[in-house]
Amino acid sequence: GAGVSQTPSNKVTEKGKYVELRCDPISGHTALYWYRQSLGQGPEFLIYFQGTGAADDSGLPNDRFFAVRPEGSVSTLKIQRTERGDSAVYLCASSLTGPNQRGGYTFGSGTRLTVV
Amino acid sequence: QKEVEQDPGPLSVPEGAIVSLNCTYSNSAFQYFMWYRQYSRKGPELLMYTYSSGNKEDGRFTAQVDKSSKYISLFIRDSQPSDSATYLCAMSGYGGSQGNLIFGKGTKLSVKP
């Protein structure tokens, strides 16, 4: 597609529920990233995929968070047993090859998650 | 001390003013420096990309990196109301497989007509 698409754009869920956030990167981009942005803060790194594999998952805060990219294109971020502190905007980005390339990352508009 | 420090503002200037935004950082391993612009309820959009020290100019935007002082700047000339947004600095020091961009908090800029 023309840009990075994230669905849903907004998600409200109850504390303790499970949620899935979807990211559809730019066609042909091999690298995909998930970031989380809390109100008034810059994005914080969660996980980076190169193809189908997670090349760096050091930013995932705990084992309630998991992400997959089974066919090297669409990715899903999964959060189990959601907590109110998980409320944030979850941003997905993609790039043609890997990190630090001159073109930077293309971000989606994010999924605004609210845990009540 | 956070790895990247950025004054969150807000910063309000009249149209046509020169805007100066900056970040300081503590990790001397950072080599890649970026500025992103983020409009409300949108994802960040890459404005400038610089590798190592030096200046880079693109239209009304100039990015400067001073690695000896661990200080980066973004200058916007002839600012326009459409420049009103949050500006995020971002940096990393890693090549290869790691994708960990470190962002500042962002500076909210408002350009008044």
Side-chain angles (χ1 to χ4, degrees):
Chain A
V4 176
S5 176
Q6 291 189 247
T7 54
S9 55
N10 284 282
K11 176 72 176 177
V12 180
T13 190
E14 291 180 350
K15 179 175 176 298
K17 298 288 189 184
Y18 168 83
V19 296
E20 289 189 353
L21 313 179
R22 175 189 167 105
C23 173
D24 200 341
I26 291 174
S27 178
H29 279 195
T30 63
L32 184 146
Y33 316 84
W34 284 99
Y35 282 76
R36 178 168 71 173
Q37 188 172 24
S38 301
L39 194 63
Q41 303 295 316
E44 292 182 314
F45 171 76
L46 294 176
I47 187 169
Y48 152 53
F49 286 91
Q50 184 60 257
T52 60
D56 183 355
D57 64 357
S58 62
L60 294 177
N62 52 59
D63 61 6
R64 296 186 299 105
F65 289 76
F66 189 71
V68 296
R69 195 186 184 200
E71 297 178 357
S73 178
V74 170
S75 176
T76 304
L77 179 66
K78 308 180 183 198
I79 311 174
Q80 299 177 324
R81 304 183 305 279
T82 51
E83 300 177 357
R84 292 196 180 87
D86 298 334
S87 297
V89 176
Y90 289 81
L91 294 164
C92 177
S94 69
S95 65
L96 186 60
T97 55
N100 304 321
Q101 64 169 77
R102 197 157 290 277
Y105 303 174
T106 302
F107 280 87
S109 292
T111 293
R112 185 172 301 270
L113 176 67
T114 304
V115 182
V116 297
Chain B
Q1 182 191 12
K2 294 196 74 173
E3 276 192 292
V4 178
E5 298 279 0
Q6 183 176 9
D7 186 337
L11 181 62
S12 183
V13 302
E15 183 175 355
I18 296 175
V19 177
S20 172
L21 306 168
N22 54 75
C23 291
T24 59
Y25 63 95
S26 57
N27 188 342
S28 57
F30 288 149
Q31 298 182 64
Y32 304 91
F33 304 92
M34 285 143 271
W35 286 94
Y36 281 83
R37 178 174 63 194
Q38 187 173 27
Y39 291 113
S40 181
R41 295 191 172 260
K42 296 291 186 183
E45 168 196 15
L46 182 68
L47 271 181
M48 301 290 280
Y49 175 102
T50 309
Y51 171 69
S52 194
S53 283
N55 294 358
K56 183 174 181 180
E57 187 173 321
D58 184 359
R60 297 185 295 111
F61 299 90
T62 300
Q64 290 184 349
V65 175
D66 181 349
K67 289 186 70 180
S68 62
S69 302
K70 297 191 180 69
Y71 186 90
I72 70 170
S73 301
L74 177 71
F75 297 95
I76 307 173
R77 291 182 297 281
D78 186 25
S79 56
Q80 303 295 309
S82 59
D83 295 328
S84 298
T86 296
Y87 289 80
L88 297 153
C89 63
M91 50 197 79
S92 70
Y94 314 112
S97 64
Q98 293 187 336
N100 193 351
L101 268 185
I102 308 296
F103 282 86
K105 278 188 173 184
T107 300
K108 187 168 185 178
L109 172 67
S110 178
V111 181
K112 304 293 187 185

